[in-house]
């Protein structure tokens, strides 16, 4: 009766039924439900290992996502692009990009001012250990208040991204769209203006890098030097045979004239 009274006194309490639905059928169902509860607890204990392994896997994946991406490129300069401050002119900067990884890496430039800036090359593929000096062109606007923002930051920024690729893959910008989940942002470079009339180590280094980049560009334009043996083509052999035949016919004509 005590159990029945207990149920009657709580029939109207919806919260209890939601929290403890196993008590609905009285004493007989309570014992069977208790057994079910023990079996569920037993199965839960058996699944602790698999659940914990899944939890550890998910935690490790989250931890990897929070870790900073491993850089594939080394930049020089590392954080800035230096430009000589010459208002109304197009000026140049340079940055050396080296692949420090053990795989082939594609790189790509982006800028916040595409109308006034462009890069040469705008992207490419570097083999392990290979480096290239990229030249960055920028048009310098005249200052609004006749101020000279030398050695000051500019709002224009450049972003260099990298992507691991397979050997032999040709560079196309679409690579970074097709595999955007694998793209790493290497650096965001800010623009710093230099006074071209004031000598400084940074300005001298910039001039050296620009000269190296120009020399590398000129060397790529020149045709490759032939170092191996010269192979005579079919056309040359036929031309030589024709020349010999013409000389032979000419001698025959001369001999015929002489005999007459």
């Amino acid at each position: 009766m005590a159990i029945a009274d207990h149920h009657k006194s709580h029939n109207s309490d919806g919260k209890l039924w939601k929290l403890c639905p196993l008590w609905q059928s009285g004493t007989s169902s309570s014992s069977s439900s208790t057994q079910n509860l023990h079996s569920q607890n037993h199965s839960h204990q058996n699944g602790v290992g698999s659940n914990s392994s899944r939890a550890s896997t998910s935690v490790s994946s989250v931890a990897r996502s929070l870790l900073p991406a491993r850089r594939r490129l080394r930049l020089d300069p590392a954080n800035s692009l230096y430009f000589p401050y010459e208002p109304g002119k197009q000026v140049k900067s340079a940055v050396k990009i080296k692949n420090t990884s053990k795989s082939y890496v594609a790189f790509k430039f982006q800028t916040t001012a595409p109308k006034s800036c462009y890069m040469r090359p705008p992207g490419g593929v570097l083999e392990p250990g290979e480096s290239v000096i990229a030249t960055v062109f920028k048009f310098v606007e005249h200052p609004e208040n006749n101020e000279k923002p030398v050695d000051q930051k500019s709002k224009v920024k450049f972003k260099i991204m990298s992507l691991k690729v397979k050997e032999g893959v040709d560079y196309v910008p679409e690579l970074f769209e097709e595999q955007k989940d694998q793209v790493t942002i290497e650096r965001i470079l800010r623009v710093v203006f230099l006074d071209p009339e004031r000598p400084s180590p940074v300005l001298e280094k910039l001039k050296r890098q620009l000269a190296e980049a120009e020399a590398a560009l000129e060397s790529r334009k020149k045709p490759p030097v032939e170092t191996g043996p010269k192979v005579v083509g079919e056309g040359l052999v036929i031309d030589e045979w024709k020349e010999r035949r013409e000389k032979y016919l000419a001698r025959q004509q001369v001999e015929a004239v002489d005999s007459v």
Side-chain angles (χ1 to χ4, degrees), residues 70-75 97-109 121-132 160-172 175-176 179 182-187:
R70 184 178 179 181
R71 300 192 185 280
R72 306 180 181 103
L73 305 175
R74 184 170 67 227
L75 307 182
I97 307 172
K98 183 175 182 179
N99 180 7
T100 56
S101 71
K102 297 180 180 179
S103 60
Y104 282 72
V105 173
F107 70 91
K108 179 183 177 182
F109 270 98
V125 176
L126 299 175
E127 64 181 40
E130 186 182 5
S131 61
V132 65
I160 299 181
M161 301 176 293
S162 70
L163 174 66
K164 181 180 176 181
V165 296
K166 294 181 180 180
E167 182 179 355
V169 172
D170 293 329
Y171 170 79
V172 288
L175 285 172
F176 288 81
Q179 306 178 43
Q182 305 298 324
V183 173
T184 297
I185 298 176
E186 292 286 340
R187 292 286 182 182

Side-chain angles (χ1 to χ4, degrees), residues 15 40 42 45 49 56 65 67 81 111 138 142 158 165 180 183 191 194 197 204 211 214 220 235 238 245 252:
K15 294 183 180 179
Q40 291 176 3
H42 180 69
Q45 290 175 359
S56 62
S65 64
L67 291 174
L81 282 175
T111 178
K138 174 176 172 52
H142 287 279
F158 294 85
V165 296
K180 57 184 177 181
V183 173
V191 172
L194 301 174
E197 298 178 358
E204 293 302 319
E214 200 65 30
R220 288 195 296 269
I238 294 174
R245 194 175 190 297
Q252 292 291 330

Side-chain angles (χ1 to χ4, degrees), residues 90-101:
Q90 186 182 71
V91 295
K92 294 186 291 185
S93 183
V95 56
K96 185 175 183 180
I97 307 172
K98 183 175 182 179
N99 180 7
T100 56
S101 71

Side-chain angles (χ1 to χ4, degrees), residues 83 90-93 109 111 113-122 134-139 158:
F83 292 88
Q90 186 182 71
V91 295
K92 294 186 291 185
S93 183
F109 270 98
T111 178
K115 293 183 178 180
S116 62
C117 305
Y118 70 95
M119 291 67 66
R120 187 181 68 195
T135 306
V136 185
F137 299 82
K138 174 176 172 52
F139 181 79
F158 294 85

